[in-house]
Amino acid sequence: MSSATASSSSNTKLDTALHVKYIQNLDKRQDLAYHLTSHLRLNGIYWGLTAAHIMGQPSTLDREGVIEYVLSCWDEDAGSFGPHPGHDGHILATLSGIQIMLMEDAIHRINLERVTKFLLDRINDDGSVSGDIWGEIDTRFTYICLSSLSLLGKLDEISSKKKQNIIEYIKKCKNFDGGFGRVPGAESHSGQVWVCTAALSILNRQDLIDIPLLGSWLSERQLPNGGLNGRPEKLEDVCYSWWCLASISIIGKLNWINKDKLINFILSAQDLEDGGIADRPGDWVDVFHTIFGLAGLSLLGYPGLEDIDPVYCMPAKLINRLGLQKPYATLERMTSYP
């Protein structure tokens, strides 16, 4: 992939056409990075497809080709999706499969009964959630399980007792600074903050979030150059334009971030020769940072972009159509920038 070559000038604009072309060409590059990331392939299609939706180009990827690839990732033994054909089923890939099929209006083509069972079986008695049959736990998996079941309309199949256990487990992962960690006792991290705030939102328990404290912690992630980091004393990274902003949107404090400085930082990480967005200016671009840079710009009201739902990281129009929208704050979409 190419390195980001954009200027950090505030006059830099988002080159939507170039980024759409970048997404279209992702599976044609076949470079070393492509072959080393098969364990992220299904996630990558979700990232690319969602980025295309944000840019108002939902038909960027071949619909039937995408659907057939998702179906080829099915793990019959596990009753779930793996990240690539022949890989074991995992909760991470399963959510991406569900999200892709919903965006492509093809959710009826997967085995909903078996996927639902796989997800329900991941919930442990203590409220933690495992990623697969091998038992690794992480609050990411908690969110993924809840998000997947919610998107499938199966959230009510979790028993009341297990729902309460999940809530109690998330509370155990809450820290003194208002943030959340991967497991109880782990340090707060912006990614874990998002999965926990979004999970509590899906469960209608935003009351368990210490909004002033968490809002302060999240706003302190913004560095002088406008970028956001994942935890104290770390470098800024475009992907936190999603993890931090989506969380701060859920708790209604988007105005606690310097919008213009963050927009300029994201735009400065574009590759204006070949398309895509990098983690920071001058680095290699990838689809992961491209989607989350675009999602951050959407939350900030950048002109010409479609709204993204901060709880589900999916097109807001689709989430509204499914009747799943939760309370969150938005910024008015600008007509031009700067």
Side-chain angles (χ1 to χ4, degrees), residues 44-102:
I45 294 175
Y46 155 69
W47 295 330
L49 183 60
T50 306
H53 274 264
I54 293 172
M55 293 186 288
Q57 300 292 327
S59 300
T60 294
L61 301 178
D62 175 66
R63 178 178 181 271
E64 195 57 35
V66 165
I67 292 170
E68 288 301 323
Y69 182 79
V70 172
L71 295 176
S72 74
C73 293
W74 178 254
D75 179 350
E76 180 62 26
D77 292 335
S80 59
F81 291 100
H84 191 59
H87 287 225
D88 291 340
H90 194 280
I91 202 168
L92 280 166
T94 297
L95 174 58
S96 290
I98 291 169
Q99 291 169 315
I100 294 166
M101 297 300 262
L102 280 170

Side-chain angles (χ1 to χ4, degrees), residues 1-2 18-37 40-52 55 60-62 66 274-277 284-291 294:
M1 296 181 181
S2 302
L18 194 59
H19 299 321
V20 168
K21 184 178 179 181
Y22 166 75
I23 291 168
Q24 288 175 326
N25 290 331
L26 279 173
D27 66 339
K28 299 174 184 176
R29 294 175 184 268
Q30 300 290 311
D31 55 11
L32 180 61
Y34 178 87
H35 293 289
L36 291 176
T37 54
L40 297 172
R41 189 75 74 243
L42 200 55
N43 302 125
I45 294 175
Y46 155 69
W47 295 330
L49 183 60
T50 306
M55 293 186 288
T60 294
L61 301 178
D62 175 66
V66 165
D274 296 318
I277 301 175
W284 294 100
V285 302
D286 57 67
V287 67
F288 176 86
H289 289 92
T290 300
I291 166 58
L294 289 167

Side-chain angles (χ1 to χ4, degrees), residues 40-287:
L40 297 172
R41 189 75 74 243
L42 200 55
N43 302 125
I45 294 175
Y46 155 69
W47 295 330
L49 183 60
T50 306
H53 274 264
I54 293 172
M55 293 186 288
Q57 300 292 327
S59 300
T60 294
L61 301 178
D62 175 66
R63 178 178 181 271
E64 195 57 35
V66 165
I67 292 170
E68 288 301 323
Y69 182 79
V70 172
L71 295 176
S72 74
C73 293
W74 178 254
D75 179 350
E76 180 62 26
D77 292 335
S80 59
F81 291 100
H84 191 59
H87 287 225
D88 291 340
H90 194 280
I91 202 168
L92 280 166
T94 297
L95 174 58
S96 290
I98 291 169
Q99 291 169 315
I100 294 166
M101 297 300 262
L102 280 170
M103 283 189 279
E104 298 290 21
D105 193 25
I107 196 66
H108 61 282
R109 293 176 65 173
I110 71 175
N111 191 325
L112 298 177
E113 183 178 351
R114 291 207 63 198
V115 170
T116 299
K117 183 180 186 305
F118 169 82
L119 293 166
L120 293 172
D121 286 348
R122 303 279 68 76
I123 304 173
N124 300 314
D125 290 340
D126 67 351
S128 64
V129 175
S130 60
D132 55 23
I133 61 172
W134 307 111
E136 179 191 5
I137 60 171
D138 189 313
T139 46
R140 289 180 304 152
F141 305 154
T142 303
Y143 165 76
I144 289 169
C145 182
L146 294 172
S147 180
S148 298
L149 289 169
S150 178
L151 290 169
L152 294 176
K154 303 291 185 179
L155 194 62
D156 288 341
E157 295 200 20
I158 305 176
S159 68
S160 297
K161 186 177 187 305
K162 282 203 169 183
K163 277 185 184 177
Q164 188 57 42
N165 289 346
I166 291 172
I167 291 168
E168 293 300 321
Y169 184 81
I170 295 174
K171 286 168 63 177
K172 291 177 183 176
C173 295
K174 185 177 177 181
N175 292 318
F176 70 94
D177 52 18
F180 296 85
R182 186 181 66 84
V183 293
E187 68 176 318
S188 297
H189 185 282
S190 298
Q192 309 301 145
V193 166
W194 177 68
V195 296
C196 289
T197 56
L200 289 172
S201 187
I202 291 171
L203 293 172
N204 297 315
R205 292 306 308 268
Q206 288 192 22
D207 59 295
L208 297 177
I209 303 169
D210 188 329
I211 291 176
L213 187 60
L214 180 57
S216 295
W217 188 87
L218 287 166
S219 62
E220 289 169 1
R221 305 280 59 77
Q222 189 164 34
L223 301 179
N225 66 359
L228 298 163
N229 64 16
R231 47 198 168 123
E233 306 301 324
K234 296 296 182 179
L235 292 176
E236 68 283 352
D237 188 316
V238 162
C239 72
Y240 295 116
S241 305
W242 170 258
W243 311 119
C244 290
L245 273 190
S247 300
I248 211 167
S249 171
I250 290 171
I251 64 174
K253 300 296 181 184
L254 270 175
N255 61 324
W256 288 15
I257 293 291
N258 187 313
K259 176 180 72 174
D260 291 338
K261 292 188 73 172
L262 180 53
I263 287 175
N264 287 335
F265 172 73
I266 298 171
L267 294 178
S268 72
Q270 297 178 98
D271 181 342
L272 294 180
E273 293 180 0
D274 296 318
I277 301 175
D279 58 348
R280 58 186 64 87
D283 285 355
W284 294 100
V285 302
D286 57 67
V287 67

Side-chain angles (χ1 to χ4, degrees), residues 299-335:
L299 289 174
L300 292 168
Y302 194 88
L305 297 180
E306 297 293 321
D307 289 339
I308 187 84
D309 187 284
V311 174
Y312 292 93
C313 196
M314 292 182 68
K317 289 179 181 177
L318 175 58
I319 297 303
N320 293 347
R321 189 162 69 246
L322 294 172
L324 298 176
Q325 184 179 23
K326 300 294 182 180
Y328 59 83
T330 60
L331 293 178
E332 183 177 353
R333 190 150 313 278
M334 298 173 283
T335 56

